[in-house]
Amino acid sequence: MTTESDHIYLNHILECSDRIREYTGEDRSILMQNTLLKDAVWRRLQT
């Protein structure tokens, strides 16, 4: 059974993954060259 908090949690995961795609443009080489971007992506993964 799925609860309201599950929906909130899953929605947050999707939001974070969308942000990562926005940051990187799905191009890993951009991520590897930019420390600030790496930090932002790691933070989203932790969240």
Side-chain angles (χ1 to χ4, degrees):
M1 175 158 54
T2 306
T3 66
E4 179 66 24
S5 62
D6 291 338
H7 286 287
I8 292 169
Y9 181 68
L10 291 171
N11 190 40
H12 189 66
I13 291 171
L14 290 173
E15 180 184 311
C16 288
S17 65
D18 288 342
R19 288 281 179 96
I20 290 170
R21 280 191 206 101
E22 287 175 24
Y23 297 161
T24 62
E26 297 185 25
D27 183 353
R28 188 170 187 216
S29 65
I30 293 170
L31 178 65
M32 293 296 129
Q33 297 171 12
N34 186 323
T35 303
L36 183 63
L37 183 58
K38 271 193 259 187
D39 289 345
V41 169
W42 277 113
R43 178 64 182 130
R44 285 291 174 176
L45 290 171
Q46 290 171 337
T47 302

